[in-house]
Amino acid sequence: MPDAPAIEATGLRKTYGKVEVLRGLDLAVPRGTVHALLGPNGAGKTTTVRILATLTEADAGSARVAGHDLRTERARARRAISLTGQFAALDEMQTGAENLRMMARLTRTHGGARTSRAAARTRAAELLDRFDLADAADRLVRTYSGGMRRRLDLAASLVGQPEVIFLDEPTAGLDPRSRQELWSVVRELSARGTTVFLTTQYLEEADRLADRIAVLHGGELVAEGTSEELKRRVAGQRLDVVLTDPAAYLRLVSQAVYSEPETRTLGFLTDGGAPQVRALLDALDPDGTVIERFSLHTATLDDVFLTLTKPAHQEPSHV
Amino acid sequence: MSDTLIMTGRSVRLSRRNVDALIMAMALPVMLLLIFVYFFGGAINTGTEYVTYVVPGVLLLCAGFGSASTAVAVTEDLKGGVIDRFRSLDIGGTPILAGHVLASTARNLIATALVFALAFAIGFRPSAGPGGWLAAIGLLVAYIAALSWLSATVGLLVKSPEAAGGFTFFVSFLPYPSSAFVPTDTMPSWLQGFAAHQPVTHVIEAVRGLLLGQPVGSTGWVALAWCTGILAASVAASGALFKRRTA
């Protein structure tokens, strides 16, 4: 089914013990796009990816990946996808080339045929070149840097030329340079027509890489759209106020989307128009005594994220 | 089947590079043989040359020690993400575990050959014909495979490589309350019952009998039944455990 969406999920639910990790998740990802699943720790990102990558079964709901139903056509789905998880799925005590050759030989083509030894060797060499690892090919993975490891891991997930690739927090723990390198790999994959579904805690990453972003919080999608749409959805501007004393800071901090205790600065979302800003200032400081200065900024994706994933019943902080 | 071969190649490469464990697996049998023959052997009366009596015991003790490292290899696999990658390539638990078990068997057979070579050098004189040798080696292979798969199962049960190491302790001690090093009738009577019926005794008696060209009677079959029983139970249990651990 070449025109089916890359990923289609409806009503995915998963419970571990008494913890409801996913509470009815719907997703639709068109082919050839980069889709980011954004959320704080414990939002259910990894569970979602593991379900979609056939490693975990959902308690309820259905999903199709690359047109294959995950329950009834699991083997076919597996041939069309690959997953790069948070832990490098590599043998430390094998060389980069040995890891890739082994994965290549274990890979079956879409028709189910096996990869020959010679073909596996060629494929491994190709990938090592493409990921700039040819010089390190015969070194044990144990000696690789974090960035090299991540690149090799990604290379290993591409041996079977998957249509859909899942990346679970691909840049967690990488230095800025390795992160940039990984981003360019994702862009290149997408340019070749591969669908990329990635999870991340970094808004910047989602903003830079993804065509569409889904925000996951507490096992549910709380927003979905392009980064521009998401930014517009919340509010256009952020009003930052500097407060005169710590007591005022503590009183107002629970309403803020942004806070900086050192400078007693709090940020609040607004449309940026004079009536709203004036009303907001009055509401925050009815007596006109606690706000020292204010400034207006364009809201960042961070502000959007914090607004959307704010705990529903946040207690005002008491001291 | 060919998945199993690929996974065996992997496990062999991994064990070849685990140099510490490999040296230990080769040095321990040699040291144990020398210790038993020269330190204790003089004080033990078995009715035959002690080296001839003790070789099967040393072989089994070392097979236990060598096989137990399979548990560690399996927990190491589970700790990382590599099992997930294999699963997403549609490789089931059985080829992965079979790879570890076959590599363990190969490792142990090298150690076994080493023990035989040293034993010959210090006076081990078996009198088995080709058939007896074949049967003895076959039984050793069955014992090693059974213990290796059992230890793979343990590897799926425990949570850390350190805990898996504890299993090494258990299987390394199992040959002591048996006829491995001393005849069981020298033990206290409450221990004799266990020593006479536990699987290690049957395997040792059978291997010893076969190597010495003595009639082994039903012992050989009982030993083989123990080995295949342990192997079959381990394969079944590990299949279920693998699914549970990786879900």
Side-chain angles (χ1 to χ4, degrees):
Chain A
M1 271 181 277
D3 11 288
I7 303 168
E8 265 182 293
T10 35
L12 290 183
R13 289 181 173 275
K14 182 77 189 175
T15 305
Y16 286 108
K18 284 186 179 155
V19 185
E20 238 188 330
V21 182
L22 291 181
R23 317 190 222 192
L25 189 72
D26 299 329
L27 277 172
V29 178
R31 287 196 184 234
T33 59
V34 179
H35 203 92
L37 188 62
L38 181 66
N41 276 330
K45 301 190 297 290
T46 298
T47 306
T48 307
V49 165
R50 287 184 66 86
I51 289 173
L52 294 174
T54 75
L55 294 177
T56 301
E57 263 187 81
D59 298 335
S62 66
R64 300 177 81 83
V65 174
H68 307 296
D69 188 283
L70 293 188
R71 276 184 216 281
T72 58
E73 301 166 294
R74 181 165 286 238
R76 281 183 189 210
R78 283 184 170 168
R79 276 174 221 148
I81 61 169
S82 81
L83 165 68
T84 301
Q86 292 178 32
F87 303 102
L90 301 162
D91 281 324
E92 297 271 299
M93 294 304 282
Q94 292 204 74
T95 67
E98 284 168 344
N99 267 294
L100 290 187
R101 285 203 295 266
M102 171 180 75
M103 297 303 176
R105 289 193 63 205
L106 292 169
T107 304
R108 284 164 186 75
T109 60
H110 297 291
R114 171 173 300 288
T115 314
S116 74
R117 202 181 276 264
R121 193 169 283 273
T122 315
R123 183 80 186 126
E126 249 170 55
L127 286 166
L128 287 164
D129 258 346
R130 181 168 151 202
F131 285 89
D132 207 15
L133 289 166
D135 292 338
D138 296 320
R139 270 166 48 193
L140 293 184
V141 172
R142 188 173 59 162
T143 67
Y144 280 28
S145 70
M148 290 165 79
R149 222 171 272 231
R150 211 59 75 94
R151 291 208 303 274
L152 183 67
D153 202 23
L154 203 53
S157 74
L158 294 176
V159 286
Q161 299 178 320
E163 295 166 48
V164 181
I165 162 161
F166 294 97
L167 304 173
D168 192 9
E169 304 206 2
T171 60
L174 289 190
D175 60 53
R177 188 201 164 96
S178 306
R179 177 172 301 178
Q180 295 280 357
E181 285 172 359
L182 208 114
W183 284 350
S184 71
V185 170
V186 170
R187 288 196 193 99
E188 190 202 317
L189 279 173
S190 169
R192 292 185 182 209
T194 311
T195 309
V196 181
F197 186 91
L198 61 93
T199 73
T200 181
Q201 305 188 38
Y202 304 115
L203 298 139
E204 189 197 357
E205 188 160 286
D207 200 6
R208 290 202 185 194
L209 287 178
D211 299 306
R212 292 184 79 77
I213 301 170
V215 183
L216 187 65
H217 183 58
E220 286 168 318
L221 284 192
V222 290
E224 215 264 339
T226 64
S227 68
E228 288 312 311
E229 283 167 3
L230 290 181
K231 284 178 199 167
R232 267 205 305 276
R233 215 190 108 157
V234 177
Q237 306 274 310
R238 196 179 81 202
L239 178 75
D240 283 4
V241 297
V242 179
L243 299 161
T244 47
D245 62 278
Y249 177 88
L250 290 170
R251 183 162 52 83
L252 296 171
V253 70
S254 66
Q255 301 168 39
V257 294
Y258 170 81
S259 59
E260 207 180 279
E262 297 82 9
T263 55
R264 295 195 302 275
T265 304
L266 292 175
F268 302 90
L269 293 174
T270 157
D271 67 358
Q276 241 198 47
V277 171
R278 188 175 291 136
L280 186 59
L281 287 171
D282 282 342
L284 293 170
D285 183 14
D287 307 329
T289 51
V290 297
I291 294 177
E292 205 175 283
R293 265 175 289 128
F294 72 88
S295 58
L296 210 52
H297 308 272
T298 306
T300 64
L301 206 50
D302 276 294
D303 303 324
V304 178
F305 183 70
L306 291 170
T307 313
L308 290 170
T309 61
K310 220 173 184 178
H313 309 287
Q314 197 174 32
E315 297 287 319
S317 13
H318 297 287
V319 183
Chain B
M1 190 60 209
S2 66
D3 285 345
T4 301
L5 287 180
I6 298 169
M7 297 314 290
T8 307
R10 161 184 187 252
S11 298
V12 167
R13 277 194 297 279
L14 294 181
S15 20
R16 222 174 49 208
R17 286 169 194 161
N18 192 349
V19 178
D20 296 349
L22 206 60
I23 290 176
M24 192 64 188
M26 300 301 153
L28 186 83
V30 168
M31 278 166 51
L32 278 173
L33 182 63
L34 295 175
I35 287 171
F36 275 105
V37 171
Y38 293 114
F39 292 10
F40 306 141
I44 302 171
N45 185 5
T46 56
T48 52
E49 267 305 300
Y50 188 66
V51 59
T52 304
Y53 179 87
V54 85
V55 162
V58 171
L59 287 175
L60 260 71
L61 180 63
C62 297
F65 178 83
S67 308
S69 57
T70 313
V72 181
V74 170
T75 47
E76 292 282 355
D77 271 7
L78 287 169
K79 220 173 57 177
V82 77
I83 296 263
D84 279 346
R85 163 116 336 125
F86 291 143
R87 286 181 64 220
S88 72
L89 289 168
D90 225 14
I91 311 299
T94 307
I96 299 173
L97 299 178
H100 282 306
V101 169
L102 287 171
S104 160
T105 308
R107 245 180 4 243
N108 277 291
L109 283 176
I110 295 171
T112 301
L114 215 59
V115 170
F116 272 127
L118 180 68
F120 274 112
I122 62 173
F124 175 58
R125 294 292 174 264
S127 44
W133 269 101
L134 216 60
I137 300 286
L139 199 51
L140 279 172
V141 170
Y143 181 76
I144 292 166
L147 273 194
S148 299
W149 212 304
L150 178 65
S151 112
T153 311
V154 171
L156 291 168
L157 267 175
V158 299
K159 297 276 183 270
S160 70
E162 290 75 21
F167 181 67
T168 312
F169 221 64
F170 171 73
V171 288
S172 306
F173 274 88
L174 207 54
Y176 287 98
S178 81
S179 65
F181 307 113
V182 295
T184 52
D185 53 24
T186 62
M187 295 176 188
S189 56
W190 56 267
L191 193 57
Q192 276 184 31
F194 173 76
H197 296 291
Q198 68 133 321
V200 176
T201 299
H202 290 289
V203 179
I204 284 180
E205 290 294 322
V207 170
R208 189 180 284 138
L210 288 165
L211 289 178
L212 300 186
Q214 294 161 351
V216 290
S218 65
T219 313
W221 297 113
V222 175
L224 191 63
W226 268 110
C227 293
T228 44
I230 293 173
L231 186 63
S234 301
V235 171
S238 65
L241 278 170
F242 186 87
K243 284 211 180 74
R244 214 187 68 189
R245 276 301 293 270
T246 56

